[in-house]
């Protein structure tokens, strides 16, 4: 398995643990958080459909983050003092959060659309 795909699998393992923990804690299931499970299973099994599912899941993430970002911008224009992210009682600064989200999306795009990933998932690697 290519190193960049190992990086993505490690990231998706962390995301899937967090998604399962959230699903159990809130007793609600959604495609945005639990959609990582079929992607992770497909990459590990080296299934030919996993490349397509990875790109669809990445598109869903991009669409969701864009929607949240646009909503935050509109809310900030209306009442700037009410726009804040609070996690476990801690206020998270916006700039590092935005940079982190964009960085995570870019890394996923880099892995998903690389030739190495395409060749590995389609079974065209040299052994």
């Amino acid at each position: 398995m290519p190193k960049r795909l190992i990086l993505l699998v490690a990231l998706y393992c962390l995301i899937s643990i967090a998604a399962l923990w959230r699903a159990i804690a809130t007793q609600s299931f959604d495609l945005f958080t639990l959609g990582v499970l079929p992607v992770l299973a497909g990459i590990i099994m080296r299934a030919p459909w996993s490349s397509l599912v990875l790109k669809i899941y990445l598109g869903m993430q991009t669409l969701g983050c864009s929607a949240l970002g646009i909503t935050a911008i509109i809310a900030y224009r209306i009442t700037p003092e009410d726009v804040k992210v609070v996690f476990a009682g801690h206020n998270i600064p916006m700039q590092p959060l935005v940079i982190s989200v964009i960085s995570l999306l870019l890394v996923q795009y880099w892995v998903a659309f690389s030739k190495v990933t395409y060749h590995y998932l389609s079974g065209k690697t040299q052994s």
Side-chain angles (χ1 to χ4, degrees), residues 12 15-20 22-23 26 28-38 57 60-61:
Y12 280 2
I15 291 172
S16 64
I17 290 169
L20 289 172
R22 180 187 172 275
T26 62
S28 68
F29 302 96
D30 58 48
L31 192 59
F32 191 66
T33 53
L34 292 178
V36 72
L37 296 175
Y57 182 65
M60 286 176 23
Q61 284 183 8

Side-chain angles (χ1 to χ4, degrees), residues 11-76:
L11 176 68
Y12 280 2
C13 282
L14 293 174
I15 291 172
S16 64
I17 290 169
L20 289 172
W21 175 70
R22 180 187 172 275
I24 291 170
T26 62
Q27 295 182 352
S28 68
F29 302 96
D30 58 48
L31 192 59
F32 191 66
T33 53
L34 292 178
V36 72
L37 296 175
V39 175
L40 185 59
I43 292 172
I44 290 172
M45 294 184 324
R46 199 174 176 181
W49 49 263
S50 60
S51 179
L52 178 64
V53 174
L54 171 62
K55 291 170 185 165
I56 290 171
Y57 182 65
L58 188 53
M60 286 176 23
Q61 284 183 8
T62 304
L63 185 62
C65 291
S66 298
L68 288 172
I70 291 169
T71 303
I73 290 170
I74 292 170
Y76 187 78

